[in-house]
């Protein structure tokens, strides 16, 4: 299983000012944590609780549908293009980048075993879009439009550009190159798909965007790319079983949730750094940032008190950011908790050849790059201890579908528990909706005239293009 080590948040390691008497805290919060976990599990099937993401590992029907479709289109497409924002793309990207060979899109078709290249278009920068459109052969591209609400302006605009070009290039057949992933009942994309006859996959009710990676949002691209989704779901199920344990001493998601919560409210560590020592896990850090930020950054608690909760999540990559951010983490404001995300066994072992005799570098010869990578992580951790900065380490045995299922699900449960500790709704995002509505207003969407007036008067003296 994935492991959590929290030694370096303890008082005896980093001192009383920054550290926690964690065993005492586990005792203090034992009952609260027990109740939170019990409530999560007993409420997960109740409509409106927004907890159905907890069932996704068991959704055999979706697994069957996505596998059936993947088999149907096998060998047909050279490119898979995902249009989606935030939760509709970050999880998919995190898992694909972790599990496909690095630089996948540069491999030949044979090296990819005929599976398509993968592109996540999660921005609308016109230059970026144009460059991508210039390199994609649309006849050989499967476009998956992913939007739970079915109306997010960025995704729908991307889709309109793509659809228009595909229709012109492919004629009537263009429909076979488009699939939609959206809500079953609401949204314009659902209406459009019915009208146009696109193959459509559904995101279940009560599964919010950032918790949707194990719905068709992620599982479909994974299946299309030959990733073993059965292994992923086995990982989720095994982690789910472990995290059903209501005893904080045996539940790593609850432990990390409580540690982060207390570090924030008691020790002023209002920044949570996610630092994978794995290039393949770099987008897990992005996914975590969204999950942590959007779920926990809330103005009001459940009793309507103004609380302005949430730690600011930051992505840092080992070793890259040792040479960029660690100076700040060690000597700057003591406002961070670092999450080291480490891998026990890399797929590859690379020897460093013994080719130079200069004493300043000869010590490297005969070692492996893996040893150096691990030593870099160990020494960064040790230097944080010197400066009395808290860190936890999450260890993934190996980067496989099974452990990716475990890892992401663990973070989801950790987030839900942390939300409960803050007593906030971790599953809404009114702050995102607000700016989405202003965009609709600025772009002239019918029904948003009042907002248009409001936003224009707010922005009067600001820079507008
Ligand atoms: O997590 C969330 O709810 C958001 O990040 C959404 O996923 C994002 O805003 C995209 O929304 P939609 O899937 O409705 O297009």
């Amino acid at each position: 299983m994935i492991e959590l080590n929290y030694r370096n948040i303890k008082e005896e390691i980093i001192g009383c000012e920054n550290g926690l008497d964690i065993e005492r805290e586990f005792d203090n919060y034992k009952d609260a944590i027990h109740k939170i976990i019990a409530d999560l599990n007993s409420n997960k099937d109740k409509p409106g609780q927004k907890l159905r993401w907890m069932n996704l590992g068991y959704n055999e029907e979706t697994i069957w549908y996505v596998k059936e479709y993947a088999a149907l289109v096998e060998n047909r497409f050279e490119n898979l293009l995902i249009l989606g924002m935030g939760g509709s793309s970050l999880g998919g990207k995190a898992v694909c980048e972790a599990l496909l060979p690095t630089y996948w899109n540069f491999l030949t078709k044979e090296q990819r075993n005929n599976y398509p290249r993968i592109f996540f278009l999660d921005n609308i920068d016109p230059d970026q879009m144009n460059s991508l459109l210039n390199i994609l052969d649309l006849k050989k591209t499967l476009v998956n439009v992913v939007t739970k609400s079915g109306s997010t302006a960025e995704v729908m605009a991307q889709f309109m550009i793509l659809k228009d070009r595909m229709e012109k290039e492919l004629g009537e057949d263009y429909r076979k190159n488009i699939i939609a992933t959206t809500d079953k009942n609401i949204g314009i994309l659902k209406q459009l798909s019915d009208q146009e006859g696109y193959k459509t996959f559904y995101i279940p009710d009560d599964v919010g965007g950032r918790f949707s990676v194990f719905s068709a949002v992620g599982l479909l691209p994974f299946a299309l790319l030959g990733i073993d989704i059965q292994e992923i779901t086995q990982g989720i199920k095994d982690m789910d079983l472990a995290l059903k344990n209501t005893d904080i001493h045996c539940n790593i998601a609850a432990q990390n949730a409580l540690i982060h919560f207390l570090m924030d409210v008691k020790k002023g560590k209002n920044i949570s750094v996610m630092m994978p020592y794995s290039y393949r896990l770099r987008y897990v850090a992005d996914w975590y940032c969204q999950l942590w930020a959007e779920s926990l950054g809330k103005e009001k608690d459940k009793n309507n008190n103004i609380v302005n909760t949430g730690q600011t999540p930051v992505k840092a990559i080992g070793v890259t950011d040792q040479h960029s951010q660690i100076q700040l983490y060690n000597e700057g404001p003591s406002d961070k908790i670092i999450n080291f995300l480490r891998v026990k066994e890399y797929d590859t072992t690379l020897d460093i050849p013994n080719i130079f005799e200069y004493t300043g570098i000869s010590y490297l010869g005969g070692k492996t790059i893996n040893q150096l990578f691990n030593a870099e992580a160990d020494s960064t951790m040790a230097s944080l201890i010197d400066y009395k900065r808290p860190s936890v380490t999450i260890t993934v045995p190996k980067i496989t579908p099974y452990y990716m299922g475990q890892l992401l699900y663990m973070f989801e449960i950790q987030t839900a528990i942390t939300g409960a500790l803050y007593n906030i709704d971790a599953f809404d995002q009114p702050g995102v909706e607000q700016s989405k509505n202003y965009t609709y207003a600025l772009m002239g969407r019918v029904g948003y005239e009042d907002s248009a007036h409001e936003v224009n008067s707010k922005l009067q003296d600001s820079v507008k293009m």
Side-chain angles (χ1 to χ4, degrees), residues 65-77 199 224:
Y65 275 126
V66 303
K67 281 175 113 174
E68 183 202 45
Y69 180 74
L72 191 77
V73 297
E74 205 173 319
N75 297 331
R76 248 187 52 204
F77 296 104
K199 177 79 186 167
L224 289 165

Side-chain angles (χ1 to χ4, degrees), residues 294-310 419 422-431:
E294 233 172 68
S295 304
L296 305 177
K298 296 292 151 73
E299 183 180 36
K300 292 182 183 159
D301 70 8
K302 286 188 171 167
N303 305 323
N304 230 14
N305 300 310
I306 303 282
V307 285
N308 299 116
T309 54
Y422 282 116
N423 190 32
I424 48 107
D425 183 346
F427 309 107
D428 66 358
Q429 53 285 322

Side-chain angles (χ1 to χ4, degrees), residues 85-88 146-150 152 155 208-210 290 294 429 432 436:
M85 296 294 137
S88 291
V146 188
T147 164
K148 162 103 176 156
S149 61
T152 300
V155 189
R210 58 193 174 276
Q290 189 217 10
E294 233 172 68
Q429 53 285 322
V432 181
K436 275 191 181 183

